[in-house]
Amino acid sequence: MLEKCPKCGGHLTDEPGNEYLVCDDCGEMYIPEAEERKLAEEDAPKIVDQTVELGKIAVVKKIVYPIMFALIILCIGLVFYEINEYTKATDVKFAVGAFSSFDEYDNLETTPSTKLTEKIMREDYNVHYAIRYRAIINIVIILGGAIGIAVSVLVSLIIIEIADARIFKRPKNKRNIALLGGPAAIAVIVYLVILAIMIAIVPTSPDKAKYDLVIKEYRGKKMDRTYNNLENKTYIHYYATFEEDGEDHRFSISEFEYDHVFPTHQGEYYCAYVDGELFHLYPTSTYIN
């Protein structure tokens, strides 16, 4: 039933005994059946156009959704793989234990009998790398996989939102795009920062490592405790000492290096490095370079 004037939008009055509808504002008269038929004919092309547009957006979704699901499946597979690798790394750490393997050397005054080969150093560096870095790398990659899942979903929704706005020729819903794109952008930026820090900290992996050997006179390691009265807290400091030019030089080391890198016994050692990081000491009385 026609209720408003097609010309001015005014109210239409159905006068008794009159087949016309009269506009209270502009006075125009309309035959209801004729006007309704006219409006239906004018709206028909719009309905057809909308059907075409819905078909276009459906095509976009058919392209975007499979890509999104494929990326999600890849990220999930990566996460499960890295969880398995993380478990292996923690198993190696627990197998090595909390103390230095150098405690097995009781007497360094022996005749060297073993050739210090790259294979021996690579095996030791593998253990060192697994204990100190592998778990961190696995955690960062797992985090990346989780972020990848979230970003895949958010970016897909943003693409559909933009395509919807272009196909239906309406302004983009900037608020929705900001709500979807903001978290995705922040997550990616934060992850890239974490990844950059990890790359800067973590040395070359065992399969690509190149080893440097330096002979040094090792004077042992030491652990000191200091008590801070103001903080009511005890601090532990770790040190290692080498002899250089006839003088002892002491420097700070980490708890990890104290437990896993520096030996208990003093003596002359081959110090093995990768990217400038000392990872193992081999007694010259045992190994031949």
Side-chain angles (χ1 to χ4, degrees), residues 228-284:
N228 189 310
N229 291 319
L230 295 176
E231 298 179 6
N232 192 26
K233 187 175 181 180
T234 299
Y235 291 92
I236 302 176
H237 308 279
Y238 302 93
Y239 303 96
T241 304
F242 285 102
E243 180 187 302
E244 295 180 8
D245 299 326
E247 296 182 0
D248 288 347
H249 294 270
R250 188 177 77 164
F251 57 95
S252 297
I253 60 175
S254 66
E255 181 180 2
F256 174 86
E257 291 172 319
Y258 183 89
D259 290 333
H260 298 288
V261 177
F262 291 94
T264 300
H265 300 288
Q266 301 181 22
E268 191 178 64
Y269 285 86
Y270 294 109
C271 298
Y273 294 84
V274 171
D275 294 344
E277 179 180 342
L278 179 63
F279 72 91
H280 209 84
L281 281 77
Y282 301 91
T284 56

Side-chain angles (χ1 to χ4, degrees), residues 131-145:
I131 297 172
R132 191 165 197 184
Y133 300 111
R134 183 68 68 188
I136 297 174
I137 295 171
N138 296 141
I139 290 173
V140 171
I141 296 176
I142 290 169
L143 178 62

Side-chain angles (χ1 to χ4, degrees), residues 9-234:
H11 180 265
L12 297 176
T13 301
D14 184 7
E15 297 182 351
N18 193 344
E19 63 179 358
Y20 295 98
L21 297 176
V22 181
C23 177
D24 295 340
D25 295 334
C26 66
E28 287 286 336
M29 295 183 294
Y30 301 97
I31 299 175
E33 292 79 5
E35 289 300 325
E36 288 174 359
R37 185 167 53 253
K38 180 180 177 183
L39 290 174
E41 290 172 355
E42 290 175 352
D43 289 341
K46 295 180 182 178
I47 296 172
V48 172
D49 289 343
Q50 191 175 43
T51 301
V52 172
E53 290 162 351
L54 288 172
K56 290 179 180 179
I57 197 66
V59 171
V60 172
K61 290 180 179 179
K62 286 180 180 178
I63 295 172
V64 171
Y65 283 147
I67 295 174
M68 180 188 74
F69 287 125
L71 290 174
I72 289 174
I73 291 171
L74 286 174
C75 289
I76 291 173
L78 178 63
V79 168
F80 278 103
Y81 174 79
E82 291 301 325
I83 289 174
N84 183 57
E85 292 298 306
Y86 174 81
T87 303
K88 291 180 181 178
T90 53
D91 288 344
V92 171
K93 186 172 183 177
F94 291 139
V96 170
F99 300 99
S100 171
S101 60
F102 291 103
D103 291 338
E104 66 187 64
Y105 300 115
D106 295 325
N107 182 16
L108 299 182
E109 301 300 326
T110 59
T111 302
S113 58
T114 304
K115 177 72 174 177
L116 183 55
T117 63
E118 184 172 305
K119 180 181 178 182
I120 292 173
M121 289 187 286
R122 190 175 301 279
E123 289 174 352
D124 289 328
Y125 183 58
N126 258 307
V127 175
H128 172 87
Y129 194 85
I131 297 172
R132 191 165 197 184
Y133 300 111
R134 183 68 68 188
I136 297 174
I137 295 171
N138 296 141
I139 290 173
V140 171
I141 296 176
I142 290 169
L143 178 62
I147 291 175
I149 293 171
V151 170
S152 297
V153 174
L154 293 175
V155 170
S156 299
L157 294 176
I158 290 172
I159 292 172
I160 291 172
E161 179 72 29
I162 294 173
D164 185 86
R166 290 177 66 87
I167 290 171
F168 286 98
K169 294 179 177 154
R170 60 177 177 75
K172 296 176 184 177
N173 193 332
K174 294 182 180 180
R175 184 172 180 274
N176 282 352
I177 293 174
L179 289 174
L180 295 170
I186 292 171
V188 170
I189 292 171
V190 170
Y191 181 73
L192 289 176
V193 171
I194 294 173
L195 194 62
I197 293 172
M198 186 196 75
I199 292 172
I201 293 175
V202 176
T204 305
S205 61
D207 58 326
K208 298 178 181 179
K210 293 183 179 180
Y211 306 97
D212 295 318
L213 285 176
V214 178
I215 298 177
K216 289 185 178 183
E217 189 69 27
Y218 175 65
R219 292 304 186 192
K221 59 184 179 180
K222 186 177 180 182
M223 177 177 62
D224 288 338
R225 289 183 173 85
T226 57
Y227 182 75
N228 189 310
N229 291 319
L230 295 176
E231 298 179 6
N232 192 26
K233 187 175 181 180
T234 299

